[in-house]
């Protein structure tokens, strides 16, 4: 069946900007579908144009010991693979009209999907929300002199309000933030590159294959960390929307922004940072005062762009659990609850935000990789028509044990054997330190491979 390229459905008017979104995990009805896949470009680009992405590049040089060009290779590879998967998963948004975690029922079954949905709600709503908001709070502190905690609370309130209103306001905020963020960060990037040491003789020399894998895993984990939310922002698009255009705009927005901004961070790490500076001041301290202050504004805006998506998707993931909650505790109310918990986590990490972010970045990919292997393999093996798959998403009796087995096995094998963290070193890197951290690729391959083996048999015995 031919599809129109990416023309929005003019017969379905968008929801009013100030109206709180009604839909949570339930399918968006055809008459409420609207928009164009082009909006996915800025929706996924804006949240990456911020300090969290800069810090990935900084870590690749300052923490993982890479010189500039090997760091660039690791960062671009990690961003590329995570963005490719993101584009593929985004196509299910207009196809089924439900969030990504609901689509996970095809891989894990109705009840088995509760585990990855709960994990994603925690990771997005607590982990990522805290990471991004703390980065913005430090920038607001540097810009205004306001203490970090009040700075944190101000940003939380703004982010929760946007997420509370819902889908359309989230898209509009990302759209208007996009040109401002791009202009300021590109200007800051040009300034940093003028003085950066790209020859490899600076602080980041060495690192080897192990350092390359750590930088790749950090960037892949950061980029693929958005994969469990891919369809959340494409599910309102009309069903007739081109799948190719949906994948292209979603993947491109994520890839270009993560690649460019993380590479700017890697270049900045080749320069000496001011002594005793906060993570954000270490970056902006390399710029003239006027540009540094502009960059602080962009860091605040970028943090809000990312954290707004975090808190919104966390609430949607909780909605997909299909819990018997009080009627008042709907998607909008869950945004406020998740925001409060994420605020507590951000408050706790204010004292050592850089170290907390480094550990979080590396660990996050440990569950994402096997989960991604399972859902991409399910996507590849689909044999039923869309109508049957849509019915299956709402079938409370549908089971798919292969998905949960593959996910848990991927984590249980890859982490103890291949993890290379400060608090825990797996058996393989303990014996051969130069091998680095292979947890992500091993977890992905195990998740995909086991699901392919078990899923075929499971599908054969499961009525369509």
């Amino acid at each position: 069946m031919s599809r129109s390229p990416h023309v929005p459905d003019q017969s379905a008017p968008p929801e009013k900007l100030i109206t709180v979104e009604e839909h949570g995990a339930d399918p968006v009805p055809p008459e409420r579908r609207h928009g164009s896949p082009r909006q996915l470009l800025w929706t996924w680009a804006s949240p990456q144009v911020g300090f969290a992405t800069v810090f990935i590049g900084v870590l690749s040089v300052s923490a993982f010991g890479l010189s500039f060009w090997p760091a660039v290779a690791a960062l671009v590879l990690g961003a590329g693979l995570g963005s490719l998967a993101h584009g593929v998963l985004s196509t299910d948004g207009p196809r089924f009209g439900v969030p990504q975690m609901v689509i996970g029922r095809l891989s894990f079954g109705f009840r088995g999907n509760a585990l990855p949905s709960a994990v994603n709600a925690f990771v997005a709503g607590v982990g990522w929300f805290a990471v991004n908001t703390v980065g913005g709070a430090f920038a607001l502190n540097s810009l205004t002199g306001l203490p970090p905690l009040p700075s944190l609370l101000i940003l939380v309130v703004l982010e929760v309000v946007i997420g509370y209103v819902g889908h359309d306001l989230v898209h509009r905020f990302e759209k208007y933030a996009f040109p401002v963020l791009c202009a300021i960060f590109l200007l800051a990037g040009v300034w940093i590159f003028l003085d950066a040491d790209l020859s490899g003789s600076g602080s980041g020399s060495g690192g080897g294959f192990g350092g390359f894998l750590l930088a790749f895993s950090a960037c892949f984990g950061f980029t693929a960390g958005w994969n469990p939310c891919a369809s959340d922002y494409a599910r309102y698009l009309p069903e007739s929307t081109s799948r190719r255009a949906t994948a292209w705009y979603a993947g491109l927005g994520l890839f270009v922004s993560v690649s460019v901004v993380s590479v700017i961070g890697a270049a900045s790490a080749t320069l000496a940072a001011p002594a005793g500076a906060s993570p954000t001041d270490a970056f902006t301290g390399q710029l003239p005062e006027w540009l540094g202050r502009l960059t602080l504004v962009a860091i605040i805006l970028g943090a809000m762009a990312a954290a707004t998506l975090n808190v919104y998707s966390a609430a949607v993931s909780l909605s997909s659990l299909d819990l018997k909650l009080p009627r008042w505790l709907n998607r909008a109310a869950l945004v406020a609850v998740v925001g409060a918990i994420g605020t507590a986590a951000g408050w706790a990490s204010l004292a050592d935000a850089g170290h907390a972010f480094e550990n979080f970045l590396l660990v996050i990919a440990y569950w994402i990789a096997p989960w991604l292997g399972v859902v991409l393999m399910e996507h590849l093996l689909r044999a039923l028509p869309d109508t049957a798959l849509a019915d299956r998403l709402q079938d409370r009796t549908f089971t798919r044990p292969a998905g949960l087995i593959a996910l848990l096995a991927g984590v249980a094998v890859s982490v103890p054997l291949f993890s290379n963290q400060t608090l825990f070193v797996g058996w393989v890197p303990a014996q051969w330190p130069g091998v680095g951290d292979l947890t992500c690729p091993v977890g992905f391959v195990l998740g995909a491979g086991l699901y392919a083996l078990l899923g075929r048999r499971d599908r054969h015995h499961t009525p369509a």
Side-chain angles (χ1 to χ4, degrees):
M1 181 177 68
S2 62
R3 292 176 177 267
S4 58
H6 45 82
V7 180
D9 184 359
Q10 301 295 337
S11 65
E15 297 179 5
K16 295 179 180 178
L17 186 63
I18 58 173
T19 301
V20 176
E21 180 190 358
E22 298 176 1
H23 301 289
D26 53 309
V28 179
E31 65 272 13
R32 304 303 295 272
R33 302 285 197 96
H34 60 274
S36 161
R38 190 178 293 109
Q39 69 196 41
L40 299 176
L41 179 67
W42 50 74
T43 296
W44 289 115
S46 294
Q48 324 314 324
V49 187
F51 184 71
T53 317
V54 168
F55 201 58
I56 298 170
V58 172
L59 287 174
S60 67
V61 173
S62 63
F64 306 145
L66 296 178
S67 54
F68 178 74
W69 291 111
V72 169
L75 295 168
V76 171
L77 180 61
L81 293 179
S83 300
L84 179 63
H86 196 75
V88 172
L89 296 180
S90 294
T91 62
D92 281 342
R95 190 175 181 183
F96 299 113
V98 294
Q100 190 64 53
M101 282 293 113
V102 173
I103 297 168
R105 294 170 184 171
L106 297 176
S107 303
F108 302 99
F110 195 96
R111 299 195 181 281
N113 190 54
L115 177 61
S117 294
V119 170
N120 186 59
F122 176 80
V123 167
V126 178
W128 281 120
F129 181 77
V131 161
N132 288 308
T133 307
V134 165
F138 278 123
L140 186 58
N141 163 251
S142 299
L143 185 66
T144 65
L146 195 68
L149 181 56
S151 300
L152 179 74
L153 296 177
I154 289 172
L155 294 186
V156 165
V157 170
L158 295 173
E159 293 156 0
V160 168
V161 167
I162 297 171
Y164 183 91
V165 173
H167 177 273
D168 282 4
L169 183 56
V170 170
H171 273 295
R172 293 199 186 196
F173 178 77
E174 307 297 343
K175 177 181 180 179
Y176 295 129
F178 181 60
V180 178
L181 290 167
C182 286
I184 296 175
F185 262 89
L186 286 176
L187 184 58
V190 169
W191 202 282
I192 284 173
F193 269 91
L194 291 175
D195 294 325
D197 176 14
L198 309 184
S199 65
S201 59
S203 60
S205 56
F209 183 65
F212 182 91
L213 280 178
L214 285 169
F216 161 77
S217 295
C219 194
F220 172 78
F222 178 84
T223 309
W226 293 107
N227 290 174
C229 313
S231 291
D232 297 4
Y233 306 94
R235 73 189 198 276
Y236 276 82
L237 295 176
E239 188 179 0
S240 61
T241 302
S242 165
R243 292 181 189 173
R244 178 177 296 179
T246 300
W248 173 255
Y249 282 114
L252 184 67
L254 192 59
F255 173 69
V256 172
S257 54
V258 173
S259 298
V260 172
V261 178
S262 64
V263 167
I264 291 174
S268 75
T270 66
L271 303 172
S278 71
T280 49
D281 285 344
F283 178 67
T284 58
Q286 302 163 4
L287 305 170
E289 183 178 358
W290 65 271
L291 183 53
R293 296 185 73 81
L294 272 179
T295 304
L296 288 173
V297 172
I299 289 173
I300 295 168
L301 193 60
M304 290 181 59
T308 298
L309 265 62
N310 297 146
V311 73
Y312 176 86
S313 285
V316 169
S317 292
L318 287 175
S319 298
S320 72
L321 292 173
D322 199 39
L323 300 173
K324 295 186 182 300
L325 299 173
R327 191 169 183 178
W328 62 268
L329 198 55
N330 54 15
R331 179 214 58 84
L334 285 172
V335 167
V337 173
V338 170
I341 299 172
T343 302
W347 187 355
S349 66
L350 282 174
D352 191 12
H355 189 257
F357 184 34
E358 178 183 345
N359 289 337
F360 179 72
L361 266 178
L362 294 171
V363 174
I364 187 62
Y366 287 178
W367 91 274
I368 289 286
W371 174 87
L372 189 58
V374 170
V375 297
L376 287 179
M377 185 57 68
E378 182 277 323
H379 201 280
L380 180 65
L381 295 178
R382 285 177 191 169
L384 298 176
D386 286 359
T387 52
L389 292 172
D391 290 341
R392 183 170 278 185
L393 289 173
Q394 306 304 322
D395 183 0
R396 299 176 65 88
T397 66
F398 174 66
T399 61
R400 180 72 79 190
L404 206 53
I405 292 171
L407 171 62
L408 295 176
V411 174
V413 173
S414 63
V415 174
L417 288 181
F418 297 97
S419 172
N420 191 1
Q421 299 297 311
T422 304
L423 299 178
F424 177 77
V425 177
W427 184 81
V428 172
Q431 303 301 314
W432 300 283
V435 80
D437 192 325
L438 291 169
T439 312
C440 283
V442 171
F444 178 86
V445 171
L446 280 174
L450 282 174
Y451 184 82
L453 291 174
L454 301 173
R456 287 180 181 274
R457 185 181 310 157
D458 181 49
R459 183 173 60 185
H460 178 73
H461 287 91
T462 302

